[in-house]
Amino acid sequence: MIHVTDLVKTYPGKVPTPALKGVSFDINDGEIVAIMGRSGSGKSTLLHQLSLIDTPTSGSVLIDGTDVLRLSDHDKTTYRLNDLGYVFQEYALIIELTALENVYLPAMSKGTAAKIYKKRASELLDLVGLGDRITHYPVELSGGEQQRVAIARSLINAPKILFADEPTANLDMTSARIVLELFQKLNRELKQTVIMVTHEPDDMRYVNRVIWLKDGLIEKIETVNQQA
Amino acid sequence: MLALMIFILALSFLDMMFISGVLVGITDSQMHALRNYLSADINIAPQQTPQLKQYIPNQAQLRAQIETLPGIIATARHYNMAGSLSFDKDKTGQFKIVSGAIIGIDPESEWKVLTLNQLLIRGSNLALGDTDQILLSSSLAGGYGAIARQGSDLGGVKVGDKIRITFANGSIRTYNVKGIYNDIMGIAETFITSNEAESILSVHDSASHILVKANIDRVPVAVYESKIVAMAPNLHIQNYNDLLGSFASFLKALNFIQLIVGAISVIVAAITIFVLIYVNAINKRRQIGILKAIGIKKSIIVNAYILQSFFYTVCGVFTGLFLVFGVLQPLLIAYPVPVVVGLMNLTLVYTPMPVILGIISFLVAGFFAGRIPSNLVARQDILKAIWG
């Protein structure tokens, strides 16, 4: 369970810019939640704080009882590696590595045995429908395929939570649908908690709840599908 | 890009190795010439304290004793005299006179210790029985392309010409010029036989100096020196290092230059690697940010760049080693480039330790030049790295 309390993020500068002005909410295990709002509402900022790739100005984020914001930088890195998955808007694959290598890179870094992580990476690529493309390099894959490789990579260490920052923004409608259906499948089959930022109203079909942000504050939390 | 960087690193390494090789080559050639033509390895002079003696007595017995020591190759004796040489080139009674050192030698043993005989350019070398013959330096004879003595030569002596020598003790004798040697060291010495010297000086079985040639490749010269000191504690014994004089400061200067050039080459290489890794890391800043975001530890990212830097350095060093030992060194042996004609060619001389130190310096430079920039980039905030 994720328990967020009074999360504030202000970007420093000559004129400090408040991006989150005190956000509190809970997310249950196994939920798919979308963070939505207009541009500049603070949705990506919120995702960055939750996924520990940025540090909020104040507030707390408890994940399964652990106040993750109090962890040291080293421990945050380890936490990201072991317990969080992250899918970027722009696929963010290492172009010099094959799809398989991209997927098992975090497991390799974790110290998992090669035989195990290679097998799991293959299984994950199968799961995202790319079992026949494991030796392909990113440039040989379509945008949708690259995004699915990125999703497989985010799952390699069996994370508690999968974060996705506008994962369909750069994809055509078909690829976007495949990716969102994949999130649903992961949620259904693996009970994977997914938190994603999106600005596409159609994406609401695939999530349980939507956290609407406006000017750095929660406008409303909307339950859209009990079983997405 | 990769090949270019490796080539630049190889050139930096080559630069360091080439200059140091040339300087060691010069030092080596100079020392070799000094030992072979001038000082030998050990020089024994007469007693200096408590009472200064002019000659070493019973030289034959002492030399025989020294020659029993393992590693001693040969010994020779010198009678050192001074005198003025007069030459009437045109037989007009107008003598040209120059002063110089006249050395009495035993030709056979002499050539085993000092190899001036190999520098003969005209006539023939002295033989044991010669009494009215001299071996003249080209710088005294005049001409022959010798080091100029600014008018202090005899104006063009040829083999067979007669030279009158007035010795310091007043004795005057006339000699035939039997041979002329190339005075590449500029020593301007005239040689007569020891028998002749003894008849002038009225001494027997003595020596002004005893020169010793030893095998110093494996045993340090100081070891031989101490053994000879034990044999003849009253004599004044020095090794060739003690006799270097002003040449020692020249060698120190060369060593200093070598050190500076080596340091500059290592710094240039380090800067090259630094720029390469920094540019590479900057170009891949977003990738580094992504790697950090997915939980890859900073140390792993930095180590990957250090490994890359090591790869460049090792390739550069091996290419440099190939250029030095596979191309330049054999090329200079096949096509010698004279530095001092007859005395010194441009050679690349290396001993293992400086080469190993050079390689280690480059690898250490590669390590830090890889670590610093990658650390700078990997330290950046994740979002800043990803979005710029």
Side-chain angles (χ1 to χ4, degrees), chain A residues 48 53-54 74 77-78 80-81 86 88 90 92 94-96 105-106 109 153, chain B residues 284 286-287 289-298 300 381-383 386-387:
Chain A
H48 295 153
I53 62 175
D54 198 7
H74 178 268
T77 304
T78 308
R80 278 199 305 272
L81 182 68
Y86 199 99
F88 294 87
E90 293 167 344
I94 308 297
I95 56 167
E96 293 89 350
L105 186 66
S109 176
R153 179 180 66 187
Chain B
K284 294 200 169 168
R286 183 165 184 271
Q287 197 177 79
I290 290 162
L291 289 172
K292 284 177 74 179
I294 63 172
I296 308 295
K297 289 186 183 74
K298 190 183 124 185
I300 293 176
D381 181 66
I382 294 174
L383 290 174
I386 294 174
W387 308 124

Side-chain angles (χ1 to χ4, degrees), chain B residues 267-337:
Chain B
I267 290 167
V268 168
I271 292 169
T272 309
I273 301 168
F274 184 96
V275 170
L276 168 71
I277 298 297
Y278 190 68
V279 169
N280 199 9
I282 287 288
N283 283 338
K284 294 200 169 168
R285 194 169 53 183
R286 183 165 184 271
Q287 197 177 79
I288 290 173
I290 290 162
L291 289 172
K292 284 177 74 179
I294 63 172
I296 308 295
K297 289 186 183 74
K298 190 183 124 185
S299 59
I300 293 176
I301 297 167
V302 170
N303 287 342
Y305 279 94
I306 290 173
L307 205 66
Q308 188 184 32
S309 155
F310 244 75
F311 173 74
Y312 293 143
T313 313
V314 168
C315 287
V317 165
F318 274 103
T319 311
L321 285 171
F322 170 74
L323 290 174
V324 171
F325 293 107
V327 179
L328 273 178
Q329 206 178 37
L331 207 66
L332 286 172
I333 291 169
Y335 304 99
V337 178

Side-chain angles (χ1 to χ4, degrees), chain B residues 11 38 40 85 116 151 162 166 223-224 229 307 330 350 380 387:
Chain B
L11 287 184
L38 209 59
L85 292 79
L116 272 175
K162 291 195 183 302
T166 306
V223 173
Y224 296 110
V229 167
L307 205 66
Y350 298 101
Q380 276 192 344
W387 308 124

